Amino acid sequence: MWAYKLLYHLKTTVQNIREHRATVLMSLAAVGFTLLLLASYLLLLTNLQAIGERLGKELQIMLYLETGLSGKERARVQDAVTAREEVEGVEYCSPQEALRSLGEAMGEAAHVLKGLEENPLPPSLEVRLKKPYRNLEAIEEVARVLSELKGVADVEYGGGWMKRFFAFVRVLRWLALSLGLLLLFASVIVISSTLTLGFYSRKEEIEILRLVGATEWYIRFPFFLESLLQGIGGAVLALGLLWILFQGFRVNMGTSWSLFAGWIQPHFLSTPMTITLIFLGAMVGVISSLLTFSRFSEER
Amino acid sequence: MPHEISNMAVSTEVNSKIIQLFNVTKTYSGGVAALEDVSVQVERGEFLFISGSSGAGKTTLLKIILGVERVTQGQLVVNGRNVTRIPRRELTQLRKETGFVFQDFKLLENRSALENVALALQIRGLPPGEVRQRAYHALRAVGLADKRDQNPLCLSGGEQQRVAIARALVNNPLILLADEPTGNLDAGLSREIMDQFLEIHERGTTLLVATHNESLPAYCGKSRIVLDQGRLAKDG
Ligand SMILES: Nc1ncnc2c1ncn2[C@@H]1O[C@H](COP(=O)(O)OP(=O)(O)O)[C@@H](O)[C@H]1O
Ligand SMILES: [Mg+2]
C-alpha cells in the first residue's frame, strides 16, 4: 500500500517539478552556487590542512643535552623520553655526528668547520612523536615536559612561522563553520521560497486532497521529495562544478601550488567529505521542507 | 425544540442516527452567525434536503459536517464520532467516508476527468490498476465513460458536476454531501442528477443535499429542513 502511495508521490513530484521547472532550475542553480562557495572553501581548507599535516610530520623535537653527561646519565634521559606515550622513537645524535651532518648540509662552505679547535655542538636526542601528537599543541606540550628533564639543556622544535600557519588554518576553520552555516541557511531560504511558490500554485489541489481525506503527510510528501531533490541536486551540481574548476586549476596552477606547498600535490575533496557535502545538501532540503510545512497546515 | 446537552452527555455510540447536530452555532471570524442553535438528526440511509434562501447557512452546515469549518458552539456527531473537537488525523478518516459535491465542483483543470476521480482512490494507496478500473466504473455510472480523458474545462457544467459526483462516490461513502448540485444546470439536467441521487440513495447511502431550488424535494419526494438566516425554520 505504501509502495503505491510512493509511486503516486513520485508521479506528483515529477509533475510538480515539470510544471514549475523554471523556478526549480533557478532554485537549483542558486543552491548549487551557494554550496559551490562552501565546497571550494572546504577544498582550500583541506589542502592547507594537508600541507600542515605534512609539515607536522616533519616536526621533531630536538633535545639538546648538557655536555659532559656520562653514558649512564644519557641513557636515563633517553629512557625517560621513550617512556612517554606520545613518543614514537628517539635517536641519539653525538656531537661528532651532528658536526658531520652539519658539514654535509653546508656543502662547499664546510671547510670553515675544519678551523674549529673543539666541537661546539652539544649531544642531542631527536624525538619523533606518534601520529596523533604531530600537531603544534601536542608538540609544545611534550617539549615543555621534556625540557624539564634532568640533563636536558635546551629544546627546539618547528619555528614560530608554523605556529602562525596553524593559527591561520584554525581561523580558516572557524570561518568555514560560520560561513558554512550562513550559506546553508541561504540555501534553506531559497528552497523554502521555491516550495512556498509550489504550495501556492497547487493550493486548489491541496484543498481537494484534504477534502477527499488525504493526510497532511500525503499532501506534503511530494513537496518533501522535491525539496530533498533540490538539496541533493544542488550539492551534486556544486561538487561537479568544483571538480571541473579543480581540474582546470591543477593543469594551470598545479606547479606553483606545489612550490608554495612544498611538493604536496593539490588534491580534491576526500570521499567522506564529498558524501558529507551531499548529506548537507539533503539536510538543507529536509529542513527547508519542514520549515515550509509548518506554515501550510490545515488550520483546525 | 432545542435540547440542552452538556459536552459530556453527547453519545458517540453508533446508533441509527448518522449525523447529529446539538445546538450548533457557527460564527465566522467577521462576527457573522451563519448557524444559530441548530439541532438536526439525520437517520442512516436518509435522503434529506436542506433548503433556504441564499445566505441561510446551507453551505456552512455541510462544511462543518465535513470538518472544513469548526463548530463555534454546540456538538456535532458524525457516524459515531464527535467531530466537535476532532483531531486532524481522525478527520481524514471521516472524510474518506464522506463524499462531497461542492457547488464549484472543485475539479483540477490540469487533470483529465479520470485522473480527477482517481485522486480520491490514490490517497488510499490502492494499486494503479484498481484505481483506473474503479475510476472508470464511477465515471461510467454517471454516463461519462467516453469523456474520461477530457479535461474538465472541455466539459459542460453538467458533465463537470457529474465528474464531481463520480469522485464523491468512488469510495462508496456512507454519506454524500451535495451543495447546490443543480445550481448551474437546466431543468432537464437537474432532473438527471436527482435521478442519479435517488439511485445512490437506493443503495443505502445517506444523502444531504443543500439547495435553494424549492422544487427538488418535491420532485424527489423527500423530506427537507429549512434554514432561515442560520436558524432552523419549521419544516416546510
Ligand atoms: N468564510 C466565511 N467567512 C465569513 N462569513 C462567511 C463565510 N462563509 C459564509 N459566510 C457568511 O455566512 C452566512 C451563511 O453563508 P452560507 O453558509 O454560504 O449560506 P448559503 O450556502 O445558504 O447561501 C452568509 O451570511 C455568508 O456571508
Ligand atoms: Mg451556499
Side-chain angles (χ1 to χ4, degrees):
Chain A
M1 194 159 115
W2 61 267
Y4 295 126
K5 280 188 185 169
L6 188 62
L7 178 74
Y8 302 134
H9 287 319
L10 285 173
K11 269 187 172 166
T12 311
T13 308
V14 170
Q15 200 174 355
N16 283 2
I17 291 175
R18 210 183 306 154
E19 269 169 29
H20 63 156
R21 56 176 157 254
T23 324
V24 171
L25 278 181
M26 293 232 301
S27 159
L28 201 62
V31 173
F33 180 73
T34 315
L35 291 178
L36 175 64
L37 281 180
L38 179 61
S40 357
Y41 192 81
L42 285 179
L43 183 64
L44 178 68
L45 191 61
T46 52
N47 276 290
L48 284 179
Q49 245 162 349
I51 295 169
E53 264 162 40
R54 171 71 177 272
L55 294 173
K57 237 171 258 165
E58 284 163 8
L59 272 185
Q60 309 195 322
I61 301 177
M62 293 293 283
L63 287 185
Y64 296 108
L65 304 176
E66 284 161 10
T67 42
L69 284 186
S70 70
K72 226 173 162 184
E73 283 167 321
R74 200 191 72 214
R76 207 171 41 233
V77 176
Q78 202 163 340
D79 288 346
V81 174
T82 315
R84 290 202 62 85
E85 65 136 341
E86 300 96 333
V87 173
E88 187 176 75
V90 184
E91 212 168 302
Y92 173 66
C93 183
S94 69
Q96 294 77 21
E97 280 171 313
L99 193 63
R100 198 169 51 243
S101 55
L102 181 62
E104 278 165 18
M106 287 171 78
E108 299 252 296
H111 63 271
V112 302
L113 297 177
K114 299 226 168 72
L116 295 171
E117 279 175 17
E118 217 178 299
N119 188 345
L121 298 175
S124 60
L125 293 175
E126 277 182 29
V127 182
R128 256 176 303 107
L129 296 184
K130 285 179 190 157
K131 256 210 177 102
Y133 301 102
R134 286 181 197 157
N135 58 64
L136 204 63
E137 292 86 357
I139 285 174
E140 271 181 334
E141 171 63 13
V142 174
R144 194 186 55 75
V145 173
L146 294 186
S147 72
E148 280 162 11
L149 285 176
K150 204 163 154 258
V152 174
D154 202 0
V155 182
E156 203 181 273
Y157 56 92
W161 69 271
M162 266 203 63
K163 212 168 175 167
R164 286 193 295 277
F165 179 81
F166 279 117
F168 176 60
V169 171
R170 203 159 41 228
V171 169
L172 282 186
R173 218 177 311 160
W174 276 109
L175 263 176
L177 198 67
S178 35
L179 186 78
L181 283 178
L182 200 73
L183 291 175
L184 292 178
F185 182 65
S187 305
V188 166
I189 289 181
V190 170
I191 297 184
S192 184
S193 338
T194 311
L195 279 193
T196 304
L197 282 178
F199 263 100
Y200 278 124
S201 68
R202 308 189 82 79
K203 236 175 88 174
E204 238 193 320
E205 180 177 343
I206 291 170
E207 186 198 351
I208 292 168
L209 282 171
R210 281 181 181 142
L211 289 176
V212 295
T215 60
E216 279 306 289
W217 270 107
Y218 185 93
I219 293 165
R220 289 167 173 183
F221 205 74
F223 290 97
F224 175 77
L225 279 181
E226 181 186 325
S227 177
L228 191 66
L229 280 179
Q230 281 186 44
I232 293 176
V236 170
L237 192 70
L239 285 166
L241 273 174
L242 186 63
W243 195 79
I244 293 169
L245 289 175
F246 175 75
Q247 294 307 326
F249 171 84
R250 196 150 75 168
V251 170
N252 296 309
M253 306 271 294
T255 320
S256 358
W257 169 270
S258 298
L259 278 180
F260 159 64
W263 292 110
I264 298 174
Q265 287 298 316
H267 60 88
F268 196 63
L269 294 172
S270 63
T271 311
M273 194 70 109
T274 308
I275 292 170
T276 305
L277 269 170
I278 293 174
F279 180 75
L280 275 179
M283 285 314 292
V284 164
V286 170
I287 291 171
S288 313
S289 57
L290 292 183
L291 277 181
T292 317
F293 293 157
S294 62
R295 292 191 291 132
F296 286 94
S297 298
E298 182 179 18
E299 322 91 49
R300 272 230 109 220
Chain B
M1 56 190 153
H3 9 187
E4 277 304 319
I5 289 181
S6 79
N7 290 6
M8 290 299 117
V10 174
S11 160
T12 56
E13 77 192 44
V14 180
N15 54 26
S16 71
K17 309 271 189 282
I18 193 162
I19 301 170
Q20 296 168 288
L21 280 82
F22 300 103
N23 310 98
V24 166
T25 293
K26 170 66 193 178
T27 311
Y28 283 109
S29 47
V32 182
L35 293 175
E36 266 189 275
D37 201 24
V38 172
S39 296
V40 178
Q41 310 264 324
V42 182
E43 297 282 340
R44 265 169 211 283
E46 194 177 342
F47 186 158
L48 183 67
F49 282 95
I50 305 162
S51 44
S53 54
S54 176
K58 305 183 293 295
T59 301
T60 303
L61 182 59
L62 296 185
K63 280 184 174 169
I64 62 165
I65 293 172
L66 198 59
V68 177
E69 295 290 352
R70 251 182 197 285
V71 168
T72 313
Q73 245 174 56
Q75 301 280 316
L76 170 63
V77 179
V78 181
N79 195 26
R81 281 193 194 80
N82 191 332
V83 186
T84 321
R85 297 275 174 273
I86 196 172
R88 167 96 189 113
R89 229 191 129 63
E90 284 175 46
L91 190 61
T92 63
Q93 193 48 45
L94 172 75
R95 286 177 182 174
K96 280 178 188 154
E97 298 164 0
T98 312
F100 67 89
V101 183
F102 279 144
Q103 193 168 4
D104 55 353
F105 314 138
K106 296 207 189 292
L107 297 176
L108 287 172
E109 290 165 2
N110 57 356
R111 315 245 174 147
S112 70
L114 188 86
E115 287 168 336
N116 266 286
V117 177
L119 214 61
L121 296 164
Q122 290 178 339
I123 63 157
R124 311 189 124 200
L126 299 177
E130 192 182 336
V131 167
R132 281 196 71 80
Q133 203 177 7
R134 281 177 64 174
Y136 173 79
H137 284 299
L139 279 175
R140 204 178 57 179
V142 296
L144 282 178
D146 53 334
K147 306 244 168 151
R148 61 183 178 278
D149 292 326
Q150 299 265 359
N151 188 289
L153 287 178
C154 306
L155 299 175
S156 72
E159 287 167 339
Q160 291 185 35
Q161 184 73 272
R162 284 186 279 160
V163 175
I165 293 171
R167 182 182 60 197
L169 295 177
V170 75
N171 275 320
N172 301 318
L174 289 168
I175 306 167
L176 178 67
L177 306 175
D179 194 7
E180 308 281 4
T182 61
N184 304 291
L185 310 181
D186 60 43
L189 276 172
S190 299
R191 252 172 269 127
E192 252 178 56
I193 298 285
M194 281 308 118
D195 291 340
Q196 202 122 51
F197 281 2
L198 285 169
E199 208 182 300
I200 295 159
H201 179 233
E202 286 300 304
R203 282 187 262 138
T205 309
T206 307
L207 275 91
L208 221 57
V209 179
T211 181
H212 65 265
N213 184 335
E214 297 289 327
S215 64
L216 291 184
Y219 173 78
C220 294
K222 299 296 174 190
S223 53
R224 64 169 181 171
I225 54 170
V226 182
L227 281 175
D228 183 20
Q229 294 189 347
R231 288 188 168 274
L232 208 55
K234 261 269 168 263
D235 286 17

